[in-house]
Amino acid sequence: MAFSAKQSYATTSTFPENIPRKSLFPEKSQNISALHFKKNVLSQKPLYISAATGFGFTAESEDSSKAREPLMQCNAYEARRSPSIPITIEIDQEAAAQKLKIGVYFATWWALNVVFNIYNKKVLNAFPFPWLTSTLSLAAGSIIMLVSWATRIAEAPDTDLQFWKNLLPVAMAHTIGHVAATVSMSKVAVSFTHIIKSGEPAFSVLVSRFMMGETFPMPVYLSLLPIIGGCALSAATELNFNLTGFMGAMLSNLAFVFRNIFSKKGMMKGKSVGGMNYYACLSMLSLLILTPFAIAVEGPQLWALGWQEAVSQIGPNFIWWVVAQSVFYHFYNQVSYMSLNEISPLTFSIGNTMKRISVIVASIIIFQTPLQPITALGAAIAISGTFFYSQAKQ
């Protein structure tokens, strides 16, 4: 007896007497049709019983006209063809797209920051006017965003007077931090400036603790030890140490801490503006604050003399350097603010730490900065402390 897949059949406890009891397979002496029947039976695939329930028949009812229903029922399926099991794999396309978006933000952020630091240092080496250089960086960003809004490439922000009032202290802190970092890089190596700037978490904790009254768990305070120790070790062993460059980096840390504090307070009031437009408004307001101070400190006469000398030494490439450092400064900051909209502060802090590592390594390679092993050890300790701080802070 052969069964096809998923075929049901019933067995009885006895066989009717009228069924002839003959062998299933005839002898060789039988006819050709019987041999074909035997071949077909043997060629059937074996069947596996997948389920069996009950045994025998139900009790006969009084109505003998009704057929008896079997109690034993078997289901079978062919060997080599197991029952199909539907497997559904659901991929959250939205989450995958979000991770890809954040990855692109991070890669773009780091790349633009490295390029900016390289061109910024080249400009400052040939044109040592950090106040004008800082002003040009803010001016380039302001022009780019004004053009984007005018051409509707980007949607202009919906702001009010309260928004600009809240943004004013943020812009002041941003201006001081930006100029101080540029002054630092005009005096010392890019790597040294970023090693000192990796100590920003220490300033954040100290300002929040003593000026804002905020308390932190013990692991946060302990994470400051390698940060402070690593920065001190690097500063003490720096071959080309300069006090102005060192103090500029320290002041930049302090200013950016206040910028972050003011930003958090300002965002809680007034209208909400997206990361890209928020930084655009910040650049414009910072440009208005910085321009008169840049004119007072350095002045157009010194700028004209310095510009002529730089062009005579470098050639037309110097103009490209100035444009590049100004444009890349705006783009890397804009992307960092856009990233902050998409990720948690912890992820942003870790990304910022990795960014400093890429800048330090790239600047050492490109400018062939001499670096003592003990200075490199101090940098590694400080950056590791920054990473531990990011973990402990959360």
Side-chain angles (χ1 to χ4, degrees), residues 27-297:
E27 300 294 335
K28 291 183 179 180
S29 60
Q30 293 177 338
N31 56 27
I32 298 300
S33 62
L35 290 177
H36 278 295
F37 172 76
K38 176 181 178 181
K39 181 178 180 181
N40 291 335
V41 170
L42 291 179
S43 65
Q44 295 282 343
K45 293 182 179 179
L47 300 177
Y48 292 144
I49 295 176
S50 62
T53 57
F55 187 80
F57 289 91
T58 58
E60 290 191 27
S61 61
E62 294 179 358
D63 188 359
S64 59
S65 62
K66 294 183 179 180
R68 292 184 300 174
E69 297 180 356
L71 280 182
M72 182 174 181
Q73 183 137 347
C74 296
N75 296 325
Y77 62 89
E78 293 180 7
R80 300 181 186 176
R81 198 177 86 181
S82 58
S84 60
I85 301 175
I87 300 176
T88 304
I89 301 176
E90 295 184 357
I91 300 176
D92 193 341
Q93 296 182 352
E94 185 176 352
Q98 181 69 7
K99 290 181 179 179
L100 178 61
K101 182 179 180 181
I102 294 173
V104 171
Y105 275 166
F106 267 48
T108 307
W109 176 22
W110 295 345
L112 293 175
N113 189 259
V114 169
V115 175
F116 157 72
N117 279 275
I118 291 172
Y119 280 108
N120 191 46
K121 184 59 177 176
K122 285 185 174 184
V123 170
L124 293 171
N125 286 340
F127 185 73
F129 294 93
W131 288 79
L132 177 59
T133 303
S134 302
T135 304
L136 293 175
S137 300
L138 297 174
S142 301
I143 294 172
I144 290 172
M145 290 310 301
L146 287 174
V147 172
S148 299
W149 293 339
T151 56
R152 299 188 179 276
I153 296 176
E155 185 179 355
D158 181 15
T159 61
D160 54 13
L161 183 59
Q162 185 61 42
F163 170 82
W164 292 102
K165 287 182 178 180
N166 295 333
L167 189 63
L168 180 58
V170 181
M172 293 178 65
H174 178 72
T175 303
I176 295 172
H178 175 40
V179 174
T182 308
V183 169
S184 175
M185 281 191 278
S186 69
K187 300 295 183 181
V188 296
V190 175
S191 57
F192 180 72
T193 298
H194 280 274
I195 291 172
I196 302 304
K197 283 180 66 64
S198 65
E200 185 177 326
F203 286 86
S204 178
V205 171
L206 295 176
V207 169
S208 299
R209 176 67 182 87
F210 294 106
M211 297 187 66
M212 310 297 294
E214 187 177 355
T215 58
F216 300 93
M218 184 56 64
V220 173
Y221 294 111
L222 293 177
S223 68
L224 301 183
L225 297 178
I227 295 175
I228 298 173
C231 290
L233 182 61
S234 296
T237 57
E238 173 65 23
L239 294 176
N240 299 316
F241 179 82
N242 181 278
L243 183 60
T244 303
F246 174 76
M247 294 305 296
M250 296 287 282
L251 180 59
S252 178
N253 284 339
L254 185 61
F256 284 143
V257 167
F258 279 105
R259 181 193 66 179
N260 296 337
I261 293 174
F262 294 146
S263 288
K264 291 178 182 178
K265 289 186 175 182
M267 286 181 177
M268 296 178 183
K269 304 175 183 178
K271 294 189 176 182
S272 177
V273 176
M276 180 176 66
N277 284 334
Y278 184 86
Y279 180 72
C281 296
L282 180 62
S283 295
M284 294 175 188
L285 193 52
S286 295
L287 177 62
L288 295 177
I289 296 172
L290 177 58
T291 301
F293 287 96
I295 295 174
V297 173

